[in-house]
Amino acid sequence: MNDLEVPPGPQAVEETIVSAQAAPDSIDSRTLIVTIFARAVKFQVEATPGSVPPFDFGDIKDSFTTLLTRLAPFIQRPILTQTFRTQAVIRLTYTLKLLSNDPIPPINTWASISSELPASPEIRNFETSRCCETIFDLLPPSLPIPTSSNPRFRLAVFDMDSTLIDQEVIDELARSIDLTPAVSAITARAMNGEIDFATSLHERVSLLKGVRADIWASLRTDGSISIARGARELTSGLKAMGVTTAVVSGGFTPMAEWLQAQLGLDYAFANHLLTAPPDDLFPYEHLSGALDVGKPLIDAQQKKDILLRLAAEHGVPVEQTIAVGDGSNDLLMMHAAGMGIAFRAKEKVQREAPRRSNGDSLEEILYLFGSGGELEHSSNDNSRS
């Protein structure tokens, strides 16, 4: 299936739509931001270049508002207060107001707007028929509509393998000793949630005994490891907004710390491999085939715990955190964060994650922070390195 390719276009258009009915300031209203990305939906639709329909902004804006009204019957027709659009994205900002005769619904009802609607058949049909993907964000009452100078999120936590970089590092380590098939098979089962992550990691690491301890430099220089498209632009944009960033990986510290330096991240957390001195079988310093049991194992629970700990240390409310990953090991932190996104994830993970996105570039995540037309340069992205 091919993604819808959208050529670079003119400066982004921002429209402010003022309703005759003033948006209420009381507790019976919430702000809902729906960001719609133009492309064929992976795992949802099989499309050929000739069958991808055009991205019609007028149709999407009108039909989505109608759809939202039908799916959330306890609110009045949503008040569309702002539209932001480029040739590849449209962001619709609504004020949701209760029907005057209804009591204020409990908070979990409000939360269901952003957590359950994306998974509803009606939303999936909307996406499939228009070859787009939607990301919902229901703002807490205390938060203003986000902008680049006042971003929606203040802490961003990312997985590393197949997220910030294109590869699974453990598979590249195995390739150096011709054990790729055996390790990759265990990796695939772990990422799909078929086997326990900790058990699978120990099994895979045991197979790495004999890998040269200095392999990390060659992986970085011989093209084995490439930084994902848009990762540099994303992290640079987040740094400019003052967002705290971290990579939290079930991979290994040498690569995570290198990536931290490359992208200017504030924190790097990963697993620690033990090395062994030269011996008769391996006459060079090599990986011992074991993890350092004196260090925390970065599994799904640890990823979630690190997210919550960093939020507390930096005084960031949990609803102002975002977590991005691609495997089942990332689901706990995705669900714990204010917004969790499965980015180009395994199919099973896309079904279970709070939200999912299948774009070609991580840079599009900046739109969720409140960024605008400054992203128009993304079509010239050359961040793979």
Side-chain angles (χ1 to χ4, degrees):
M1 193 205 80
N2 295 319
D3 280 343
L4 176 61
E5 295 183 1
V6 181
Q11 181 67 22
V13 175
E14 292 191 69
E15 304 170 0
T16 300
I17 302 166
V18 181
S19 170
Q21 181 179 7
D25 296 324
S26 60
I27 196 172
D28 65 350
S29 67
R30 294 291 190 277
T31 298
L32 175 66
I33 300 177
V34 182
T35 307
I36 304 174
F37 296 101
R39 68 181 155 273
V41 183
K42 295 182 179 180
F43 303 115
Q44 295 290 333
V45 62
E46 294 296 327
T48 62
S51 67
V52 176
F55 192 64
D56 186 329
F57 289 101
D59 169 66
I60 285 177
K61 181 172 66 176
D62 295 339
S63 59
F64 188 86
T65 301
T66 300
L67 176 62
L68 182 61
T69 303
R70 189 170 72 249
L71 295 180
F74 56 84
I75 60 174
Q76 293 179 348
R77 182 172 178 83
I79 302 170
L80 182 56
T81 56
Q82 188 180 72
T83 300
F84 166 89
R85 62 188 175 91
T86 69
Q87 286 197 341
V89 63
I90 182 169
R91 186 165 63 228
L92 306 173
T93 302
Y94 299 90
T95 293
L96 305 180
K97 184 183 177 184
L98 291 177
L99 290 171
S100 59
N101 295 330
D102 285 355
I104 297 174
I107 188 62
N108 61 341
T109 303
W110 282 113
S112 71
I113 296 175
S114 57
S115 63
E116 294 177 9
L117 281 187
S120 72
E122 293 90 345
I123 294 295
R124 287 289 183 259
N125 290 338
F126 173 85
E127 292 177 320
T128 301
S129 64
R130 290 163 177 81
C131 288
C132 65
E133 286 186 325
T134 58
I135 291 184
F136 291 69
D137 189 15
L138 186 67
L139 299 185
S142 59
L143 290 183
I145 296 176
T147 64
S148 295
S149 59
N150 187 23
R152 160 72 171 90
F153 303 101
R154 294 166 49 199
L155 170 65
V157 174
F158 300 94
D159 176 44
M160 180 173 71
D161 295 30
S162 298
T163 302
L164 289 179
I165 63 175
D166 293 318
Q167 296 77 20
E168 294 288 331
V169 171
I170 198 166
D171 291 346
E172 299 305 314
L173 296 176
R175 195 184 313 280
S176 70
I177 54 174
D178 297 324
L179 283 176
T180 302
V183 171
S184 295
I186 302 174
T187 299
R189 292 176 61 203
M191 295 305 289
N192 281 320
E194 298 172 14
I195 54 176
D196 173 73
F197 176 81
T199 300
S200 73
L201 183 61
H202 283 291
E203 287 181 5
R204 288 176 289 168
V205 167
S206 69
L207 296 175
L208 299 179
K209 184 176 182 178
V211 172
R212 300 186 70 93
D214 61 1
I215 191 174
W216 307 104
S218 61
L219 287 180
R220 298 193 295 263
T221 58
D222 67 7
S224 297
I225 299 298
S226 56
I227 293 176
R229 184 180 183 185
R232 293 186 187 276
E233 288 73 14
L234 169 61
T235 53
S236 176
L238 296 182
K239 186 174 182 179
M241 294 182 204
V243 176
T244 301
T245 55
V247 56
V248 182
S249 173
F252 308 112
T253 49
M255 193 58 64
E257 290 173 352
W258 169 79
L259 188 64
Q260 177 187 15
Q262 288 290 305
L263 299 181
L265 304 173
D266 295 300
Y267 297 95
F269 302 90
N271 291 304
H272 295 256
L273 290 169
L274 294 176
T275 59
D279 55 30
D280 292 340
L281 185 58
F282 303 109
Y284 48 82
E285 187 178 7
H286 56 276
L287 301 185
S288 69
L291 291 166
D292 185 347
V293 295
K295 303 288 187 180
L297 179 73
I298 308 298
D299 58 7
Q301 185 62 49
Q302 273 292 322
K303 287 189 172 192
K304 174 185 173 181
D305 292 346
I306 289 170
L307 167 78
L308 297 177
R309 186 175 79 239
L310 289 177
E313 289 175 356
H314 288 269
V316 176
V318 174
E319 60 264 24
Q320 288 190 271
T321 65
I322 187 170
V324 182
D326 75 302
S328 61
N329 197 35
D330 302 311
L331 285 169
L332 283 182
M333 75 170 181
M334 287 183 202
H335 283 284
M339 179 179 288
I341 300 175
F343 189 79
R344 299 178 68 87
K346 283 67 178 174
E347 186 170 0
K348 179 179 184 292
V349 177
Q350 293 207 36
R351 292 196 301 267
E352 296 182 12
R355 298 163 183 84
R356 52 94 184 97
S357 178
N358 289 295
D360 290 329
S361 172
L362 282 165
E363 187 181 17
E364 71 178 30
I365 291 175
L366 281 174
Y367 285 113
L368 306 176
F369 285 75
S371 288
E374 65 269 24
L375 299 187
E376 284 300 302
H377 70 278
S378 64
S379 59
N380 297 318
D381 186 328
N382 59 357
S383 65
R384 290 185 184 276
S385 59

